[in-house]
Amino acid sequence: MADEALFLLLHNEMVSGLYKSAEQGEVENGRCITKLENMGFRVGQGLIERFTKDTARFKDELDIMKFICKDFWTTVFKKQIDNLRTNHQYLAFTCGLIRGGLSNLGIKSIVTAEVSSMPACKFQVMIQKL
Amino acid sequence: MNYPLYIRSAPTENELKFHYMVHTSLDVVDEKISAMGKALVDQRELYLGLLYPTEDYKVYGYVTNSKVKFVMVVDSSNTALRDNEIRSMFRKLHNSYTDVMCNPFYNPGDRIQSRAFDSMVTSMMIQVC
C-alpha cells in the first residue's frame, strides 16, 4: 500500500479545492459534502472489490458486517485513527467509503459520523431492510 | 437485473447461441447460490464448478462477493481441460475485473471496454482452443 501521507495530502486538497470552488460560486455550498461523500462511495466500491477478492464467500449479512467491522475497518482505519478532525467535511469522504463498500456487497445503507468527544469518532451505519 | 458487463466468444459465428446459453445458466447460478445459503454445509468457495453439461458443451460458474457472475462455456470435446485450470481462469478473470473496478474512469455497471481485460481474455481463449 502507498504511503499514508499521499492520501492525507490528497484528501486535504480535495476538501479545500472543493470548498474554494463553492466560494467562487461554481458549486453550491451544500453540494460539497455530497460530492466528497460520493467520491468516497466510489473508492469504497473499488476497495471492497480488492479486499474481498481472496476471501471466502460471505454466507449472509452477518458475515458481511463482521468483515466490514473487523478486516475492512482495521485496514482502512488503523491508518486513519491518529488523524481525526472535527469538521464534517473531513468525515464525508470516509462515510462515503463505508457506504460504497457495503453497497458493492449488496447492502444499502446510510452512513453518518459524529465526534462528540475527541479523539473518538462514532460512525452510524443504518442498513435499509428490503 | 441481469445483463452482461462483458461477453466474448470464439468462434464468432453462432455467437447468439452462446449468449443464450450464458443467459439461461444464470438461473442455475442463482439456484446454486440459494442452495448454499440454506445448506448446513459451508460452501466457502467463489468457484461454483460445473453448472450443467449439454451435449456439446460444459458450462462453469463463479460468483464474487460483490455478486458479479462469471460464466464459461467450454467445448465438451476438450477433455484436456482440468478443473484446476478452469479455476485459475476464473481467478484471472476475477483479478482483471478487480482492476477494472479500481479504475476511477470506469463506472460500475457499464460494459467493460478495458483493453487489458480484452487481452487477458484473448490470451486465455488462445490457450484453451
Side-chain angles (χ1 to χ4, degrees):
Chain A
M1 280 252 231
D3 201 334
E4 187 189 347
L6 294 171
F7 173 72
L8 293 176
L9 291 168
L10 179 64
H11 189 217
N12 256 334
E13 267 314 299
M14 274 161 58
V15 176
S16 63
L18 217 64
Y19 276 85
K20 258 199 208 108
S21 56
E23 270 171 48
Q24 287 156 16
E26 283 162 31
V27 178
E28 287 166 45
N29 209 307
R31 307 283 265 124
C32 291
I33 297 276
T34 310
K35 279 194 169 228
L36 286 165
E37 213 262 353
N38 286 336
M39 285 185 207
F41 183 89
R42 181 65 186 92
V43 173
Q45 287 179 308
L47 275 182
I48 274 291
E49 198 67 60
R50 215 172 266 296
F51 292 166
T52 61
K53 188 169 63 82
D54 303 306
T55 62
R57 180 184 303 288
F58 295 138
K59 241 188 317 183
D60 48 29
E61 210 171 81
L62 184 64
D63 250 9
I64 293 174
M65 290 317 293
K66 279 197 221 165
F67 179 82
I68 295 278
C69 294
K70 282 171 31 198
D71 303 292
F72 185 67
W73 209 272
T74 51
T75 310
V76 173
F77 293 112
K78 193 147 67 167
K79 308 177 141 233
Q80 300 271 356
I81 213 145
D82 301 312
N83 302 281
L84 287 166
R85 331 267 179 158
T86 51
N87 298 334
H88 282 285
Q89 51 194 239
Y90 286 98
L91 294 174
F93 183 87
T94 317
C95 288
L97 198 88
I98 301 166
R99 191 169 67 85
L102 284 166
S103 167
N104 206 10
L105 293 172
I107 296 179
K108 276 208 176 101
S109 66
I110 299 169
V111 183
T112 51
E114 65 172 65
V115 182
S116 43
S117 57
M118 286 277 272
C121 178
K122 210 195 278 185
F123 287 95
Q124 189 175 58
V125 181
M126 276 185 287
I127 293 178
Q128 296 183 19
K129 280 281 179 194
L130 291 158
Chain B
M1 245 275 262
N2 280 313
Y3 58 88
L5 296 176
Y6 188 92
I7 185 153
R8 188 92 168 269
S9 58
T12 45
E13 73 252 20
N14 247 330
E15 212 173 60
L16 205 59
K17 172 180 71 179
F18 292 118
H19 286 220
Y20 180 71
M21 241 193 243
V22 167
H23 191 79
T24 50
S25 69
L26 292 178
D27 285 333
V28 185
V29 171
D30 286 335
E31 275 169 34
K32 285 222 165 193
I33 296 288
S34 68
M36 272 180 223
K38 295 174 193 142
L40 295 166
V41 171
D42 250 348
Q43 226 294 29
R44 300 301 234 164
E45 274 203 289
L46 302 180
Y47 175 60
L48 297 178
L50 183 71
L51 295 177
Y52 64 94
T54 68
E55 216 177 281
D56 305 306
Y57 302 101
K58 291 202 197 109
V59 185
Y60 298 91
Y62 182 104
V63 184
T64 69
N65 273 318
S66 50
K67 313 292 187 282
V68 174
K69 303 168 184 120
F70 292 99
V71 177
M72 214 185 279
V73 180
V74 178
D75 207 303
S76 283
S77 63
N78 190 337
T79 49
L81 206 58
R82 298 274 156 78
D83 200 58
N84 62 327
E85 282 168 295
I86 307 261
R87 271 169 206 270
S88 89
M89 288 201 281
F90 276 123
R91 285 311 293 168
K92 283 207 189 100
L93 282 167
H94 195 175
N95 287 336
S96 293
Y97 172 75
T98 303
D99 289 339
V100 169
M101 262 308 264
C102 291
N103 179 347
F105 296 107
Y106 172 71
N107 189 27
D110 286 353
R111 297 204 74 135
I112 294 170
Q113 294 173 307
S114 150
R115 265 182 290 189
F117 196 89
D118 273 334
S119 54
M120 178 272 310
V121 174
T122 305
S123 66
M124 270 200 328
M125 290 175 102
I126 289 172
Q127 268 192 311
V128 173
C129 296

